[in-house]
């Protein structure tokens, strides 16, 4: 509990006005006070005051949160709800430990030993035994009920060749690869687990778009998971180890920018790394310099590389019938990084695309905060509203900017019978 004491002042900033309840996706589904930010803040205060135990109801409500930030955005008193809830999770995880499966994945697979690629290569060979093709969307369905997964969840297929192992990627230089004879912006691409293991083609499209816009692109092979899954589950020590390893890998390259096409990874690299490493005086300046170079792909293309200037160079995709595309704002891009205009600008300029806004584009898809792992029914119920918005928009394609959201939205479209393709924005360029 000592780890939480410093948060008392933050929780006391809450005036109990209830504004946050109108924007909270977990409250919308569950309708319980404890599912809202106001309820959670009250519970945390009660726990700190010794009025409730840190188990049972308290623990359930601390975990029932997508960490989407909608409450923080809407709070007139500026309460750092997400910071408080993340700290409460960390304290809870330290007391209770993580579930066995989550702990095994965090400590044995995702930590800097890089066992993950070998384990997933093995799993990619096995997936045909457990999963079958789905005719509805690009995904796989379990052949029979599986632990954690159940029997109806649409799962993303593991890539046959992971992004970091692709010949095109391996052929790129390891460190600063720019041609010294011409003035070029030197970009390091951070793939993240979603692009690396599930959507390598999105990584290739990202690199191609960056190169077409004039950047020199490098992909450091030793990069690892950003640590956000561990952080969301409350395993701060593991997340810190990952942040440090990535900092060392990217510092070696002498890059102008570090670019990612994953909203969650971008948030981790820009903000979470500073929280995890910034307290250490020896690391503070280093991590600040690192984070200042991080850009989301859309930010990099639109703001730094002036993407529109190469629109005319993309040929052969502009003729014929246009497809209608709508856009889902990932919480980690929209709220956490303030990026809304840039992906829409990319879509509006993409050849053959007619952009159409849907209702509630900023509503959370239900993936965040580890909910899709720890409370799948709640997670997919949150996504129901998004599926309805997409259907009502009449779009042929749903684009977004986060591989995690793509996985969740493909599952949601399948579950709620909405016949649209779900892709990354860069896949449409
Ligand atoms: S909006 Fe802010 S002040 Fe109002 S109840 Fe929610 S957390 Fe408290
Ligand atoms: S972070 Fe999102 S899910 Fe969690 S309490 Fe706030 S609005 Fe609700």
């Amino acid at each position: 509990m000592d780890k939480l004491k410093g948060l008392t002042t933050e929780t006391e900033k809450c005036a109990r006005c209830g504004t946050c309840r109108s924007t909270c996706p977990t409250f919308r589904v569950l309708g319980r006070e404890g599912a809202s930010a106001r309820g959670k803040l009250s519970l945390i205060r009660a726990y700190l005051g010794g009025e409730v135990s840190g188990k049972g109801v308290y623990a359930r409500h601390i975990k029932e949160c997508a960490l989407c930030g909608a409450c923080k955005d809407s709070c007139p008193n500026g309460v750092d709800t997400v910071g408080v809830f993340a700290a409460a999770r960390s304290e809870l995880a330290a007391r209770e430990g993580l579930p066995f499966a989550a702990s095994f994945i965090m400590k044995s697979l995702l930590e800097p030993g890089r066992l993950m690629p070998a384990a997933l290569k093995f799993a990619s060979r096995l997936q045909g035994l457990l999963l079958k093709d789905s005719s509805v969307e690009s995904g796989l369905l379990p052949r029979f009920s599986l632990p954690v997964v159940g029997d109806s969840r649409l799962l993303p297929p593991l890539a046959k060749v992971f992004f970091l192992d692709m010949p095109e990627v391996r052929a790129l230089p390891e460190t600063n690869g720019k041609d010294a004879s011409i003035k070029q912006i030197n970009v390091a691409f951070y793939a993240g687990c979603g692009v690396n293991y599930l959507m390598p083609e999105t990584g290739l499209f990202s690199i191609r778009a960056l190169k077409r816009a004039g950047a020199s692109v490098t992909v450091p092979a030793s990069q690892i998971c950003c640590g956000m899954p561990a952080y969301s589950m409350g395993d701060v020590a593991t997340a810190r180890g990952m942040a440090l390893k990535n900092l060392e890998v990217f510092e070696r390259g002498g890059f102008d920018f570090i670019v990612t096409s994953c909203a969650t990874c971008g948030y981790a690299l820009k903000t979470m790394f500073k929280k995890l490493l910034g307290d250490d005086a020896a690391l503070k300046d280093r991590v600040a310099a690192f984070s200042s170079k991080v850009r989301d792909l859309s930010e990099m293309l639109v703001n730094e590389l002036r993407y529109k200037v190469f629109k005319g160079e993309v040929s052969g995709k502009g003729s014929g019938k246009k497809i209608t595309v709508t856009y889902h704002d990932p919480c980690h891009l929209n709220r956490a990084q303030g990026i809304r205009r840039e992906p829409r600008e990319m879509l509006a300029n993409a050849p053959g695309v007619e952009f159409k806004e849907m209702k509630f584009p900023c509503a959370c898809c239900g993936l965040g905060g580890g909910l899709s792992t720890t409370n799948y029914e709640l997670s997919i119920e949150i996504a129901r509203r998004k599926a309805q918005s997409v259907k009502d928009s009449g779009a042929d394609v749903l684009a977004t900017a986060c591989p995690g959201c793509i996985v969740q939205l493909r599952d949601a479209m399948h579950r709620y019978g909405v016949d649209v393709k779900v892709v990354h924005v860069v896949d449409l360029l």
Side-chain angles (χ1 to χ4, degrees), residues 273-348:
F273 278 26
K274 284 195 275 192
K275 281 188 196 156
L276 292 170
L277 304 174
D279 285 350
D280 184 331
L283 294 173
K284 192 172 181 209
D285 290 344
R286 285 170 58 192
V287 75
F290 167 91
S291 295
S292 70
K293 295 180 180 180
V294 178
R295 299 285 185 280
D296 179 72
L297 178 73
S298 64
E299 226 182 345
M300 188 70 206
L301 288 173
V302 173
N303 299 343
E304 306 291 348
L305 296 171
R306 300 164 64 80
Y307 157 74
K308 269 196 238 176
V309 299
F310 73 87
K311 181 193 171 197
E313 294 173 22
V314 184
S315 61
K317 290 174 75 183
S319 56
K321 188 175 175 294
K322 289 197 167 191
I323 51 165
T324 308
V325 180
T326 194
Y327 177 71
H328 160 74
D329 285 280
C331 298
H332 282 148
L333 197 62
N334 163 32
R335 296 197 184 92
Q337 300 183 54
I339 298 171
R340 303 173 188 92
R341 174 184 55 84
E342 293 84 347
R344 287 176 169 79
E345 204 167 298
M346 283 168 72
L347 287 174

Side-chain angles (χ1 to χ4, degrees), residues 361-376:
C362 308
C364 174
C365 69
L367 176 88
L371 269 191
S372 73
T373 312
T374 57
N375 194 341
Y376 175 66

